[in-house]
Amino acid sequence: MRLKEIFHLARVPSILMLGLVYVLYIFIGGVVFWKLEGDLGQKDISLLLTSKQKLLSTYTCLDQDGLEKVAQVVQDSSKVGLSLKGNSTTDGFWKFTSSAVFAATVVTTIGYGNMSPSSTAGQIFCVFFALFGIPLNMVVLNRVGKYMLVIERNISNYLEGKTGRRTCTRFFVHLLSYLSGVLLFLVVPMIVFQLHEGWTYSQAIYYCFITLSTIGFGDFVADDNPDKVYPEWYSFIIASWIFFGLAWLALVINHSIDMLERLNMHLKQWWGGHKLEEESGGAGSDNPDTHLEEQEEVKGPPLKQ
């Protein structure tokens, strides 16, 4: 009761509490990444410096300036998708299939960073292409997500009519929907990428989630290795997987937002929100934070309109 009374007396707006939780969450994530990756990063730097000194001592004709030029050639080659192994050449990144996948990563805001337009005309076109393509992509994904939700609800209503148990039926339909999505958009692609890219299973599942969540670090990119020969259907499958996977993950995130909003509503009730309204005599209705939350509750999540 003491915690409840403290929040009741302080009259802390929920938006401030939400902001505090958000900042704390980011801070905890930063600390965890710092501890997990910081020491490993220092070891990698030490190994690279050792390798650099060994390279310079082995190839005595190569000085620091020559090494920097070689590194620049390697970097420029990786940007255009050329392999420096052997004497063979490749078509680079800008084939039709890879260009289409690049266009998909632009409008979906994934933006791996492994390839980017270098010409002035290409850069200007990319700006306008993204300006109109991103809203179009959001509308289409929202509509596809709604259709997924309608199918899920129709199945749920059909089973409810057969069983007569609403809560259990909805729970199992949601669970089956989540598991099917995980299997179709995470597990199966993980196996495909492990076979065609040579990644470990952990790297493949990491790439799947980083892509579908549109984080897009670019440390792992499918259909990107110039030393591999990919089948013709590979790029098409990747583009289709990205599109439908984004719609599915958007639906999952939408459900998560709905659950967090419900949790926030229950927490406000637990903190004595109703008692606060009675004591203030309705004055709390002038609180802009309260108006904002009421509007959000009426509006609902995007995919459930």
Side-chain angles (χ1 to χ4, degrees):
M1 291 296 293
R2 182 170 296 275
L3 182 61
K4 178 180 177 181
E5 293 174 357
I6 291 175
F7 282 108
H8 175 69
L9 294 175
R11 291 177 170 83
V12 179
S14 61
I15 185 64
L16 294 182
M17 291 302 304
L18 187 62
L20 179 62
V21 171
Y22 178 79
V23 172
L24 183 62
Y25 188 79
I26 298 297
F27 176 77
I28 293 174
V31 171
V32 173
F33 283 124
W34 175 41
K35 293 297 182 182
L36 291 177
E37 301 293 334
D39 295 337
L40 183 61
Q42 292 297 325
K43 293 180 180 178
D44 291 340
I45 292 175
S46 300
L47 291 175
L48 286 174
L49 291 176
T50 303
S51 299
K52 172 188 171 182
Q53 295 299 327
K54 185 182 297 185
L55 182 66
L56 291 175
S57 61
T58 303
Y59 301 97
T60 55
C61 60
L62 188 66
D63 56 4
Q64 179 66 33
D65 184 61
L67 181 61
E68 291 177 358
K69 291 180 179 179
V70 171
Q72 187 64 46
V73 171
V74 174
Q75 184 179 3
D76 293 340
S77 300
S78 65
K79 287 183 178 180
V80 297
L82 293 179
S83 174
L84 296 179
K85 296 181 179 180
N87 296 322
S88 60
T89 59
T90 61
D91 295 332
F93 280 142
W94 296 107
K95 299 176 291 185
F96 171 74
T97 53
S98 57
S99 299
V101 173
F102 169 76
T105 61
V106 170
V107 298
T108 56
T109 69
I110 295 175
Y112 291 122
N114 63 313
M115 57 188 296
S116 57
S118 57
S119 65
T120 303
Q123 292 170 350
I124 294 176
F125 174 76
C126 185
V127 171
F128 289 97
F129 181 75
L131 184 63
F132 295 99
I134 292 174
L136 176 62
N137 175 75
M138 294 177 64
V139 171
V140 173
L141 287 180
N142 190 38
R143 183 60 58 88
V144 173
K146 285 182 178 180
Y147 278 117
M148 289 182 176
L149 188 60
V150 167
I151 294 174
E152 182 180 320
R153 285 178 175 174
N154 289 339
I155 295 175
S156 179
N157 293 334
Y158 174 78
L159 295 178
E160 284 177 21
K162 295 293 184 179
T163 61
R165 297 182 178 182
R166 179 178 180 181
T167 304
C168 293
T169 301
R170 288 185 178 272
F171 172 78
F172 282 111
V173 169
H174 282 309
L175 181 61
L176 181 62
S177 174
Y178 291 150
L179 293 178
S180 300
V182 169
L183 179 65
L184 186 59
F185 297 112
L186 293 179
V187 177
V188 173
M190 175 189 70
I191 298 174
V192 173
F193 292 136
Q194 194 275 332
L195 293 175
H196 285 84
E197 301 292 341
W199 299 335
T200 63
Y201 286 113
S202 60
Q203 291 172 339
I205 195 69
Y206 164 79
Y207 165 76
C208 290
F209 183 81
I210 292 301
T211 296
L212 297 185
S213 60
T214 70
I215 296 174
F217 289 129
D219 48 352
F220 291 93
V221 181
D223 196 17
D224 183 60
N225 192 344
D227 297 320
K228 290 182 177 293
V229 178
Y230 298 100
E232 294 294 333
W233 51 265
Y234 194 58
S235 297
F236 174 77
I237 291 296
I238 292 176
S240 302
W241 165 72
I242 289 177
F243 177 78
F244 290 103
L246 283 174
W248 170 77
L249 192 61
L251 184 63
V252 173
I253 293 176
N254 196 266
H255 280 302
S256 302
I257 293 174
D258 183 58
M259 289 188 291
L260 288 175
E261 288 180 347
R262 292 177 182 273
L263 178 62
N264 179 47
M265 183 177 61
H266 288 303
L267 287 176
K268 287 195 299 182
Q269 293 177 353
W270 182 79
W271 286 337
H274 293 296
K275 181 183 287 187
L276 180 59
E277 290 181 1
E278 294 175 359
E279 292 178 357
S280 60
S285 60
D286 295 331
N287 188 350
D289 184 63
T290 305
H291 283 303
L292 179 61
E293 290 168 358
E294 289 176 353
Q295 292 175 2
E296 289 177 351
E297 290 175 1
V298 172
K299 182 178 179 181
L303 297 182
K304 293 188 177 182
Q305 292 178 354

PDB file of all heavy atoms in Angstrom, residues 70-91:
ATOM      1  N   VAL A  70      45.522  -1.051 -50.231  1.00  0.00           N
ATOM      2  CA  VAL A  70      44.938  -2.388 -50.402  1.00  0.00           C
ATOM      3  C   VAL A  70      43.603  -2.483 -49.664  1.00  0.00           C
ATOM      4  O   VAL A  70      42.609  -3.017 -50.182  1.00  0.00           O
ATOM      5  CB  VAL A  70      45.909  -3.471 -49.899  1.00  0.00           C
ATOM      6  CG1 VAL A  70      45.233  -4.834 -49.878  1.00  0.00           C
ATOM      7  CG2 VAL A  70      47.157  -3.513 -50.772  1.00  0.00           C
ATOM      8  N   ALA A  71      43.561  -1.944 -48.438  1.00  0.00           N
ATOM      9  CA  ALA A  71      42.323  -1.965 -47.654  1.00  0.00           C
ATOM     10  C   ALA A  71      41.222  -1.173 -48.350  1.00  0.00           C
ATOM     11  O   ALA A  71      40.052  -1.569 -48.327  1.00  0.00           O
ATOM     12  CB  ALA A  71      42.583  -1.409 -46.255  1.00  0.00           C
ATOM     13  N   GLN A  72      41.597  -0.074 -48.997  1.00  0.00           N
ATOM     14  CA  GLN A  72      40.613   0.732 -49.712  1.00  0.00           C
ATOM     15  C   GLN A  72      40.046  -0.027 -50.901  1.00  0.00           C
ATOM     16  O   GLN A  72      38.843   0.028 -51.184  1.00  0.00           O
ATOM     17  CB  GLN A  72      41.250   2.045 -50.174  1.00  0.00           C
ATOM     18  CG  GLN A  72      40.265   3.038 -50.791  1.00  0.00           C
ATOM     19  CD  GLN A  72      39.225   3.504 -49.804  1.00  0.00           C
ATOM     20  OE1 GLN A  72      39.551   3.843 -48.668  1.00  0.00           O
ATOM     21  NE2 GLN A  72      37.969   3.526 -50.230  1.00  0.00           N
ATOM     22  N   VAL A  73      40.919  -0.772 -51.616  1.00  0.00           N
ATOM     23  CA  VAL A  73      40.448  -1.581 -52.742  1.00  0.00           C
ATOM     24  C   VAL A  73      39.482  -2.663 -52.262  1.00  0.00           C
ATOM     25  O   VAL A  73      38.433  -2.903 -52.873  1.00  0.00           O
ATOM     26  CB  VAL A  73      41.644  -2.208 -53.485  1.00  0.00           C
ATOM     27  CG1 VAL A  73      41.168  -3.222 -54.521  1.00  0.00           C
ATOM     28  CG2 VAL A  73      42.483  -1.132 -54.152  1.00  0.00           C
ATOM     29  N   VAL A  74      39.815  -3.304 -51.146  1.00  0.00           N
ATOM     30  CA  VAL A  74      38.938  -4.339 -50.590  1.00  0.00           C
ATOM     31  C   VAL A  74      37.600  -3.739 -50.180  1.00  0.00           C
ATOM     32  O   VAL A  74      36.530  -4.311 -50.437  1.00  0.00           O
ATOM     33  CB  VAL A  74      39.629  -5.017 -49.387  1.00  0.00           C
ATOM     34  CG1 VAL A  74      38.674  -5.988 -48.712  1.00  0.00           C
ATOM     35  CG2 VAL A  74      40.886  -5.749 -49.840  1.00  0.00           C
ATOM     36  N   GLN A  75      37.637  -2.582 -49.546  1.00  0.00           N
ATOM     37  CA  GLN A  75      36.408  -1.930 -49.107  1.00  0.00           C
ATOM     38  C   GLN A  75      35.536  -1.520 -50.287  1.00  0.00           C
ATOM     39  O   GLN A  75      34.315  -1.742 -50.276  1.00  0.00           O
ATOM     40  CB  GLN A  75      36.744  -0.704 -48.250  1.00  0.00           C
ATOM     41  CG  GLN A  75      35.525  -0.005 -47.666  1.00  0.00           C
ATOM     42  CD  GLN A  75      35.905   1.178 -46.806  1.00  0.00           C
ATOM     43  OE1 GLN A  75      37.078   1.528 -46.676  1.00  0.00           O
ATOM     44  NE2 GLN A  75      34.917   1.808 -46.199  1.00  0.00           N
ATOM     45  N   ASP A  76      36.158  -0.928 -51.311  1.00  0.00           N
ATOM     46  CA  ASP A  76      35.395  -0.522 -52.486  1.00  0.00           C
ATOM     47  C   ASP A  76      34.826  -1.733 -53.218  1.00  0.00           C
ATOM     48  O   ASP A  76      33.706  -1.672 -53.757  1.00  0.00           O
ATOM     49  CB  ASP A  76      36.288   0.297 -53.435  1.00  0.00           C
ATOM     50  CG  ASP A  76      36.699   1.628 -52.834  1.00  0.00           C
ATOM     51  OD1 ASP A  76      36.016   2.090 -51.892  1.00  0.00           O
ATOM     52  OD2 ASP A  76      37.719   2.197 -53.297  1.00  0.00           O
ATOM     53  N   SER A  77      35.573  -2.824 -53.250  1.00  0.00           N
ATOM     54  CA  SER A  77      35.086  -4.028 -53.920  1.00  0.00           C
ATOM     55  C   SER A  77      33.885  -4.616 -53.192  1.00  0.00           C
ATOM     56  O   SER A  77      32.925  -5.075 -53.822  1.00  0.00           O
ATOM     57  CB  SER A  77      36.212  -5.077 -54.008  1.00  0.00           C
ATOM     58  OG  SER A  77      37.311  -4.576 -54.741  1.00  0.00           O
ATOM     59  N   SER A  78      33.930  -4.604 -51.866  1.00  0.00           N
ATOM     60  CA  SER A  78      32.808  -5.146 -51.097  1.00  0.00           C
ATOM     61  C   SER A  78      31.546  -4.313 -51.277  1.00  0.00           C
ATOM     62  O   SER A  78      30.436  -4.845 -51.225  1.00  0.00           O
ATOM     63  CB  SER A  78      33.180  -5.218 -49.612  1.00  0.00           C
ATOM     64  OG  SER A  78      33.380  -3.912 -49.080  1.00  0.00           O
ATOM     65  N   LYS A  79      31.705  -3.009 -51.521  1.00  0.00           N
ATOM     66  CA  LYS A  79      30.543  -2.142 -51.701  1.00  0.00           C
ATOM     67  C   LYS A  79      29.805  -2.421 -52.993  1.00  0.00           C
ATOM     68  O   LYS A  79      28.587  -2.207 -53.079  1.00  0.00           O
ATOM     69  CB  LYS A  79      30.975  -0.673 -51.662  1.00  0.00           C
ATOM     70  CG  LYS A  79      31.342  -0.174 -50.265  1.00  0.00           C
ATOM     71  CD  LYS A  79      31.680   1.299 -50.301  1.00  0.00           C
ATOM     72  CE  LYS A  79      32.006   1.818 -48.907  1.00  0.00           C
ATOM     73  NZ  LYS A  79      32.338   3.272 -48.919  1.00  0.00           N
ATOM     74  N   VAL A  80      30.526  -2.870 -54.001  1.00  0.00           N
ATOM     75  CA  VAL A  80      29.885  -3.140 -55.289  1.00  0.00           C
ATOM     76  C   VAL A  80      29.682  -4.626 -55.529  1.00  0.00           C
ATOM     77  O   VAL A  80      29.223  -5.037 -56.598  1.00  0.00           O
ATOM     78  CB  VAL A  80      30.695  -2.523 -56.447  1.00  0.00           C
ATOM     79  CG1 VAL A  80      30.748  -1.016 -56.325  1.00  0.00           C
ATOM     80  CG2 VAL A  80      32.108  -3.102 -56.490  1.00  0.00           C
ATOM     81  N   GLY A  81      30.039  -5.455 -54.551  1.00  0.00           N
ATOM     82  CA  GLY A  81      29.782  -6.887 -54.654  1.00  0.00           C
ATOM     83  C   GLY A  81      30.746  -7.646 -55.512  1.00  0.00           C
ATOM     84  O   GLY A  81      30.379  -8.639 -56.150  1.00  0.00           O
ATOM     85  N   LEU A  82      31.997  -7.218 -55.575  1.00  0.00           N
ATOM     86  CA  LEU A  82      33.017  -7.916 -56.357  1.00  0.00           C
ATOM     87  C   LEU A  82      33.892  -8.758 -55.452  1.00  0.00           C
ATOM     88  O   LEU A  82      34.203  -8.363 -54.320  1.00  0.00           O
ATOM     89  CB  LEU A  82      33.889  -6.911 -57.116  1.00  0.00           C
ATOM     90  CG  LEU A  82      33.205  -6.115 -58.225  1.00  0.00           C
ATOM     91  CD1 LEU A  82      34.183  -5.146 -58.858  1.00  0.00           C
ATOM     92  CD2 LEU A  82      32.620  -7.045 -59.278  1.00  0.00           C
ATOM     93  N   SER A  83      34.285  -9.918 -55.944  1.00  0.00           N
ATOM     94  CA  SER A  83      35.156 -10.805 -55.188  1.00  0.00           C
ATOM     95  C   SER A  83      36.595 -10.632 -55.663  1.00  0.00           C
ATOM     96  O   SER A  83      36.861 -10.536 -56.864  1.00  0.00           O
ATOM     97  CB  SER A  83      34.718 -12.262 -55.375  1.00  0.00           C
ATOM     98  OG  SER A  83      35.648 -13.136 -54.755  1.00  0.00           O
ATOM     99  N   LEU A  84      37.532 -10.584 -54.732  1.00  0.00           N
ATOM    100  CA  LEU A  84      38.945 -10.465 -55.057  1.00  0.00           C
ATOM    101  C   LEU A  84      39.635 -11.825 -55.078  1.00  0.00           C
ATOM    102  O   LEU A  84      40.851 -11.895 -55.258  1.00  0.00           O
ATOM    103  CB  LEU A  84      39.637  -9.548 -54.044  1.00  0.00           C
ATOM    104  CG  LEU A  84      39.151  -8.089 -54.050  1.00  0.00           C
ATOM    105  CD1 LEU A  84      39.882  -7.288 -52.988  1.00  0.00           C
ATOM    106  CD2 LEU A  84      39.362  -7.467 -55.413  1.00  0.00           C
ATOM    107  N   LYS A  85      38.879 -12.896 -54.887  1.00  0.00           N
ATOM    108  CA  LYS A  85      39.453 -14.233 -54.921  1.00  0.00           C
ATOM    109  C   LYS A  85      39.517 -14.724 -56.367  1.00  0.00           C
ATOM    110  O   LYS A  85      38.512 -14.729 -57.074  1.00  0.00           O
ATOM    111  CB  LYS A  85      38.618 -15.205 -54.093  1.00  0.00           C
ATOM    112  CG  LYS A  85      38.598 -14.861 -52.608  1.00  0.00           C
ATOM    113  CD  LYS A  85      37.773 -15.872 -51.840  1.00  0.00           C
ATOM    114  CE  LYS A  85      37.764 -15.557 -50.346  1.00  0.00           C
ATOM    115  NZ  LYS A  85      36.957 -16.535 -49.587  1.00  0.00           N
ATOM    116  N   GLY A  86      40.706 -15.140 -56.819  1.00  0.00           N
ATOM    117  CA  GLY A  86      40.858 -15.649 -58.172  1.00  0.00           C
ATOM    118  C   GLY A  86      40.840 -14.534 -59.204  1.00  0.00           C
ATOM    119  O   GLY A  86      40.861 -13.349 -58.892  1.00  0.00           O
ATOM    120  N   ASN A  87      40.786 -14.911 -60.459  1.00  0.00           N
ATOM    121  CA  ASN A  87      40.800 -13.956 -61.560  1.00  0.00           C
ATOM    122  C   ASN A  87      39.424 -13.740 -62.177  1.00  0.00           C
ATOM    123  O   ASN A  87      39.285 -12.973 -63.115  1.00  0.00           O
ATOM    124  CB  ASN A  87      41.762 -14.437 -62.660  1.00  0.00           C
ATOM    125  CG  ASN A  87      43.198 -14.480 -62.165  1.00  0.00           C
ATOM    126  OD1 ASN A  87      43.620 -13.614 -61.406  1.00  0.00           O
ATOM    127  ND2 ASN A  87      43.933 -15.497 -62.604  1.00  0.00           N
ATOM    128  N   SER A  88      38.411 -14.436 -61.677  1.00  0.00           N
ATOM    129  CA  SER A  88      37.077 -14.305 -62.252  1.00  0.00           C
ATOM    130  C   SER A  88      36.413 -13.035 -61.747  1.00  0.00           C
ATOM    131  O   SER A  88      36.732 -12.525 -60.677  1.00  0.00           O
ATOM    132  CB  SER A  88      36.212 -15.526 -61.882  1.00  0.00           C
ATOM    133  OG  SER A  88      36.089 -15.621 -60.467  1.00  0.00           O
ATOM    134  N   THR A  89      35.479 -12.533 -62.528  1.00  0.00           N
ATOM    135  CA  THR A  89      34.723 -11.346 -62.149  1.00  0.00           C
ATOM    136  C   THR A  89      33.246 -11.697 -62.036  1.00  0.00           C
ATOM    137  O   THR A  89      32.782 -12.687 -62.604  1.00  0.00           O
ATOM    138  CB  THR A  89      34.897 -10.223 -63.180  1.00  0.00           C
ATOM    139  OG1 THR A  89      34.444 -10.693 -64.458  1.00  0.00           O
ATOM    140  CG2 THR A  89      36.350  -9.801 -63.284  1.00  0.00           C
ATOM    141  N   THR A  90      32.520 -10.879 -61.319  1.00  0.00           N
ATOM    142  CA  THR A  90      31.088 -11.087 -61.153  1.00  0.00           C
ATOM    143  C   THR A  90      30.347  -9.858 -61.660  1.00  0.00           C
ATOM    144  O   THR A  90      30.945  -8.847 -62.016  1.00  0.00           O
ATOM    145  CB  THR A  90      30.733 -11.321 -59.667  1.00  0.00           C
ATOM    146  OG1 THR A  90      31.116 -10.154 -58.912  1.00  0.00           O
ATOM    147  CG2 THR A  90      31.469 -12.528 -59.120  1.00  0.00           C
ATOM    148  N   ASP A  91      29.039  -9.970 -61.678  1.00  0.00           N
ATOM    149  CA  ASP A  91      28.212  -8.853 -62.147  1.00  0.00           C
ATOM    150  C   ASP A  91      28.054  -7.773 -61.086  1.00  0.00           C
ATOM    151  O   ASP A  91      27.485  -6.720 -61.371  1.00  0.00           O
ATOM    152  CB  ASP A  91      26.816  -9.370 -62.546  1.00  0.00           C
ATOM    153  CG  ASP A  91      26.895 -10.311 -63.740  1.00  0.00           C
ATOM    154  OD1 ASP A  91      27.826 -10.150 -64.539  1.00  0.00           O
ATOM    155  OD2 ASP A  91      26.030 -11.197 -63.849  1.00  0.00           O
TER     156      ASP A  91
END
